[in-house]
Amino acid sequence: MSINLNDVWTIVRELIDISLVWFIFYYILKNVKNNLKLSLLFKGVIFIVLLKIISDVFNFITVGLLLEYIIQWGPIALIVIFQPEIRNILEQLGRNQLLGRHKVLTVDERERMVYEMVNAIDYLRKERIGALIVIERDQSLANYIDKAKKLYADLSSDLLIAIFYEGNPLHDGGVIIQGDRITCAGAVFPTSNSTKLNRRLGTRHRAALGLAEETDAICIVVSEETGRVSIAVKGDMLYNLTMDDVRMMLIDELKPKQDIDDEMIDEEEIYEENN
């Protein structure tokens, strides 16, 4: 039986086509999961599609006509409204992960990083010096770094304290950390409109939650009025944390994904052995 090269090429082409579609959907769903606004958008699109199907089945003329206008002009409106999120996704897609924005930290480097940050946060809260410290993870913060004051300095508690000292012109903005280096200071972030936030909380808390809603960054806030420490991560804000809480949370959140997967596998094996 002879092999037709055209048939082989057709199969290969179809496999490549399916793989590309799968990759696009995977990347979109991955970013939707990590972004609160995009997840709400995705739910809204699903709702509109389901409503359109129902209107066609039951012949709801008025509802169907309105939905047709929404489907026709909706994409343009979404591009305008969600332009920052779309740009962020395209930036990540165009960035080569092999080169990386920063190195993968070893266990010792992560422990040193947490040690320096906890020392700085402890001093800042005792002296009631307001601060906003952001740690970049998988999603790029390049858009905010470009508009801030570049530093590219080794992370140290003394430097963090100096940046947020009231006499420093950069103390009002946020600090962005990539790996174990302070990339920039004086960064400005989008503020959250979430009703979960207490109205008495200031701009730093709203900026921290706003960034945590749009990215997977870890956002640490020290209140200037009360000295209390809060952390915004994965679209939620945790208030009035002790220094032990901060230390353990940073250690847990900064673990590489591979370490987390290995821990889950070990836990599953222990569970199976016990049962």
Side-chain angles (χ1 to χ4, degrees), residues 59-217:
N59 197 24
F60 295 152
I61 299 176
T62 305
V63 175
L65 184 62
L66 289 174
L67 290 174
E68 285 182 4
Y69 280 115
I70 292 175
I71 293 173
Q72 182 178 357
W73 298 105
I76 298 176
L78 292 177
I79 291 174
V80 174
I81 296 171
F82 291 92
Q83 182 264 343
E85 287 78 11
I86 295 173
R87 180 175 58 190
N88 190 35
I89 292 174
L90 292 176
E91 284 180 354
Q92 294 177 57
L93 187 61
R95 188 181 295 275
N96 189 343
Q97 192 65 28
L98 293 176
L99 296 176
R101 297 182 299 277
H102 50 75
K103 64 180 179 179
V104 177
L105 300 180
T106 64
V107 175
D108 291 340
E109 288 171 333
R110 290 202 307 271
E111 289 180 352
R112 175 191 167 278
M113 174 183 175
V114 172
Y115 173 80
E116 295 290 342
M117 291 185 62
V118 169
N119 282 347
I121 294 167
D122 192 31
Y123 178 89
L124 294 169
R125 74 176 182 87
K126 288 178 180 177
E127 298 297 324
R128 294 195 176 183
I129 299 174
L132 173 54
I133 303 170
V134 174
I135 306 172
E136 183 189 76
R137 294 201 281 184
D138 292 336
Q139 291 184 282
S140 172
L141 301 179
N143 186 43
Y144 305 105
I145 294 172
D146 291 341
K147 301 174 184 178
K149 185 67 175 179
K150 312 298 186 302
L151 294 180
Y152 300 111
D154 291 335
L155 174 63
S156 70
S157 57
D158 292 338
L159 181 55
L160 283 175
I161 293 170
I163 290 172
F164 291 111
Y165 181 69
E166 190 174 355
N168 193 314
L170 297 175
H171 80 281
D172 279 336
V175 161
I176 296 179
I177 297 173
Q178 291 180 313
D180 58 352
R181 293 176 66 82
I182 299 176
T183 302
C184 68
V188 178
F189 306 112
T191 56
S192 173
N193 295 319
S194 174
T195 55
K196 299 177 184 178
L197 278 176
N198 192 313
R199 293 181 180 179
R200 291 178 295 179
L201 295 177
T203 306
R204 285 192 180 93
H205 289 83
R206 295 192 175 278
L209 184 57
L211 188 63
E213 289 173 343
E214 294 187 0
T215 70
D216 63 347

